[in-house]
Amino acid sequence: MQSTSPLCRRVTTRDEMTACRTIRETVFQQEQAVDPAIEADGRDGEAVHYIAEIDGRVIATARTRVLDDKIKIERVAVTREARGRRIGEALMRFMMDDLSGEARGRPFFLSSQAQAVPFYERLGFTVCSEEYFEAGIAHRDMRAEAASR
């Protein structure tokens, strides 16, 4: 994998959605042993999905849902070979910028795995909950104010 910057964008095709699901299955179900029934929560249809790709290969994904009082970022996953290269950061920044017009005063919100809290803090998120367990993994809720356009 080369060191070029990823192309980040909204998912628009079935093939891209299939790539998202494949990355999520690999990262969450295979690597982290999350129960498939928890990971596949039935909310994909109400979400906007994003991908990051390099050389036409999808290497990261995430989804967002615009709720009444917040924009929830979920299912952030980066392939093992792409980790540590700021791909997740590029995807997160792209999503937050892309959604800033829809935010209209709503903060961004996510449930971070405890080990990923420093990653999200670098993106401007702050912890707003005590630690809790979801799918057997320690989590903390985090939020960040949306930039105004």
Side-chain angles (χ1 to χ4, degrees):
M1 185 171 294
Q2 299 185 354
S3 61
T4 58
S5 296
L7 170 64
C8 299
R9 59 190 168 80
R10 286 187 182 206
V11 167
T12 58
T13 70
R14 282 185 195 200
D15 287 346
E16 290 168 351
M17 193 63 222
T18 298
C20 292
R21 286 191 184 105
T22 299
I23 290 172
R24 287 169 37 186
E25 287 172 7
T26 300
V27 171
F28 298 124
Q29 295 174 31
Q30 294 173 18
E31 294 177 14
Q32 298 179 353
V34 172
D35 182 331
I38 293 172
E39 197 289 313
D41 63 1
R43 294 187 171 136
D44 280 344
E46 61 192 68
V48 176
H49 298 264
Y50 290 86
I51 55 171
E53 63 182 1
I54 292 180
D55 298 328
R57 187 164 163 248
V58 179
I59 55 173
T61 185
R63 75 179 190 192
T64 61
R65 292 185 298 132
V66 178
L67 306 176
D68 289 338
D69 61 341
K70 61 191 163 214
I71 296 179
K72 189 156 190 219
I73 298 171
E74 304 169 312
R75 306 302 195 264
V76 179
V78 179
T79 60
R80 185 184 306 268
E81 63 272 13
R83 290 180 200 147
R85 300 179 51 224
R86 304 185 89 157
I87 305 297
E89 179 180 337
L91 182 60
M92 287 290 298
R93 290 190 189 284
F94 178 84
M95 290 188 315
M96 292 169 72
D97 184 57
D98 186 56
L99 291 165
S100 64
E102 295 175 53
R104 293 188 203 88
R106 288 177 274 209
F108 291 105
F109 177 86
L110 54 84
S111 298
S112 172
Q113 293 183 5
Q115 54 85 19
V117 164
F119 166 76
Y120 292 113
E121 286 176 332
R122 288 191 298 273
L123 292 164
F125 283 81
T126 56
V127 171
C128 61
S129 79
E130 296 297 320
E131 187 172 279
Y132 61 92
F133 283 82
E134 185 174 316
I137 300 168
H139 283 73
R140 302 282 303 266
D141 289 343
M142 301 185 77
R143 63 179 280 143
E145 296 305 317
S148 57
R149 285 195 175 236

